[in-house]
Structure formats: C-alpha cells, structure tokens
Amino acid sequence: SLESIIKINSTQASIPHILNFSITGMKPETLLHALEEDEIYISTKSACSSHKKESLSVLTLYQDEQRASSTLRISLSYQTTQEEVLFFISKLHEKIQRLQIK
C-alpha cells in the first residue's frame, strides 16, 4: 500500500503551505518527470538542500540517508483547489504503481 512507502517529512514546525515527503525505493527525479507528463510540477529535496545529494533537514530530523535522498516537495497556495489536490493524489498513486511495476 502507498501508506507503507510514503513518509511525510514535514513536521508541525514546518511551513504550512509546503509538504515534504519521501517515497521509499524510488528516485525522486523519476517520479518528478512522470508527474510532469500530466503537467504536475513539484520539486525534489528541501529548498535549503537544492545543490546537495540529500535533504540535510530531513537527514537531521530522521537520521535516515535513504529517506533524505528521496524527498519531494509540494508547494500549495490559497489558490490551490480541492480538485487540484485530488487530481494530484490520483496521479501520484497512478505513477507510483506504474513505476513500481517496472
């Protein structure tokens, strides 16, 4: 199930409009490009780690290099609709399943 491979890295102290998460066993760039096929654009790592191999903030929080090297970041705004969120969740699920099969 997706719940077992998706790890939420954002905490209660995180910026509320940014969600950082990791997907176990999947390169973040692979998923990022798969989502771009549906015009969904997200980022890898945390903003402060954009030039490093892994997210230093996630590594510091969880002491897990695999988790820190597989982070993705979603930015939301007050203009983000519920329909867009549901579309994203649907496509994320679809892409993860497709990429895990390969």
Side-chain angles (χ1 to χ4, degrees), residues 20-56:
N20 185 297
F21 64 100
S22 297
I23 300 182
T24 305
M26 188 171 293
K27 289 185 177 183
E29 292 82 7
T30 302
L31 185 57
L32 181 136
H33 294 304
L35 288 167
E36 287 174 353
E37 295 169 1
D38 292 297
E39 297 186 11
I40 298 172
Y41 303 99
I42 63 174
S43 301
T44 60
K45 304 182 187 63
S46 51
C48 58
S49 303
S50 58
H51 299 294
K52 297 180 174 30
K53 181 180 175 185
E54 68 263 327
S55 168
L56 293 180

Side-chain angles (χ1 to χ4, degrees), residues 66-85:
Q66 182 181 14
R67 186 172 185 166
S69 65
S70 63
T71 60
L72 294 157
R73 189 176 75 244
I74 304 165
S75 299
L76 304 168
S77 84
Y78 69 94
Q79 295 178 323
T80 304
T81 66
Q82 183 175 358
E83 291 77 22
E84 290 170 324
V85 172

